[in-house]
Amino acid sequence: MRNFQPVLNEIYSNIKKTKDKGIVASYIPELASIDKNNFGIHLRTIEGHEYAVGNYNKLFSIQSISKVLTLTKATSIIGSDIFKRVGVEPSGHPFNQLSLLEIENGIPRNPFINAGAIVIADILVSRLENPKEDFLDFIRNVTSDNTIHYNESVALSEKKTGYKNFAAANLLKSFGNLKNDIDVVLDFYFHQCSIEMTCNQLSKAFYLFANKGKCLRNIVHLTESQVKRINALMLTCGFYDEAGDFAFEVGLPGKSGVGGGIVAFLPNNFIITTWSPGLNKKGNSKLGMQALEQFTTKTQMSIF
Ligand code: DON
């Protein structure tokens, strides 16, 4: 069994010395006041060993990381029919870019850009009896943790300022790719983004992607073929117009959020979650990316 603690400690001391910590997302007002000195890493091996440093037990806003979990829930309900309404290509554009959506007749490039995630939210609003409650139950289930919750002030803060998401939803509606009421779908979407989790909890939630579709409690949520596809989407689209760079520097599938979290994993091996709230120009955690680059370089453990 490999002891990952020394390498995490080494990365932690390197990162703590880095002066440029990026910029905290301020377009969601509730996130603007998060201290960018927070930094944590948590690693869980497939056998269940855990290693961690820094603020790995502090809650933060998972934001777009939630898009992998909504896609998982939608896949478990309707399977590949999802891809009649959303594509599987990287967009090469920022997560909230809209012009492609109009050019491509309301079919978002992939489920991780905002427009794509709004279509997935629409599917869940149609299919779940109590969408917000049922989705939260699903996350609590895969993590075996009933304390996970929505942050209502973050959801409200984004509802008040989410002009581009309203624009995306309106465009989708105009092309017939949104079945439910715009306000209802966006209320679900803003809530999924507002979920708070720690690095530790996220490593648990993403266990199923490293473990062929079975969560920590050994329950099958996705078939092996479905996991293969979702993992491929994380590799190619998980970091928006920086997905190429993340594959190049880090070499793992993963997903980021504007709350500063990143979850990445080596299938059949480990899940690693970082949190550092300062973002780079592409909206991904600046120091989180650096830490993960150091991790796969030092350990020589990547999918390549
Ligand atoms: O919709 C938004 O803009 C945010 N709730 C989520 C964006 C996000 O996390 C992008 N990821 N890096």
Side-chain angles (χ1 to χ4, degrees), residues 15-183:
I15 292 292
K16 278 285 166 188
K17 283 182 222 138
T18 311
K19 291 214 166 56
D20 183 359
K21 297 186 189 328
I23 295 167
V24 174
S26 56
Y27 77 100
I28 302 173
E30 275 293 305
L31 299 184
S33 57
I34 312 286
D35 181 0
K36 64 179 171 186
N37 290 310
N38 280 296
F39 178 73
I41 311 181
H42 181 275
L43 183 147
R44 169 178 283 274
T45 67
I46 211 81
E47 298 88 15
H49 301 291
E50 296 178 70
Y51 305 90
V53 279
N55 306 114
Y56 66 90
N57 258 337
K58 218 166 153 180
L59 290 168
F60 62 88
S61 195
I62 70 168
Q63 293 297 322
S64 287
I65 297 173
S66 66
K67 295 170 180 173
V68 183
L69 300 166
T70 52
L71 177 63
T72 299
K73 187 69 193 164
T75 300
S76 73
I77 301 170
I78 68 164
S80 55
D81 278 357
I82 288 173
F83 301 108
K84 292 178 181 158
R85 294 179 56 187
V86 54
V88 295
E89 289 295 338
S91 70
H93 288 284
F95 59 85
N96 56 1
Q97 204 254 11
L98 293 176
S99 55
L100 265 186
L101 187 62
E102 173 142 51
I103 294 167
E104 297 182 353
N105 301 315
I107 303 294
R109 274 285 172 106
N110 65 67
F112 297 150
I113 53 171
N114 288 3
I118 291 168
V119 170
I120 304 298
D122 186 48
I123 292 171
L124 292 181
V125 166
S126 295
R127 296 293 181 133
L128 298 176
E129 207 168 320
N130 301 298
K132 286 193 278 186
E133 291 83 348
D134 296 353
F135 179 62
L136 192 58
D137 277 350
F138 165 68
I139 296 200
R140 288 175 168 182
N141 246 310
V142 290
T143 48
S144 298
D145 190 332
N146 282 333
T147 66
I148 296 170
H149 56 267
Y150 295 116
N151 180 324
E152 294 293 340
S153 343
V154 172
L156 185 66
S157 176
E158 195 170 2
K159 188 179 284 184
K160 282 187 185 151
T161 56
Y163 306 112
K164 287 200 83 170
N165 285 325
F166 279 97
N170 276 285
L171 262 179
L172 289 165
K173 193 86 179 165
S174 75
F175 283 106
N177 199 8
L178 204 81
K179 311 296 177 201
N180 296 285
D181 183 81
I182 288 172
D183 289 327

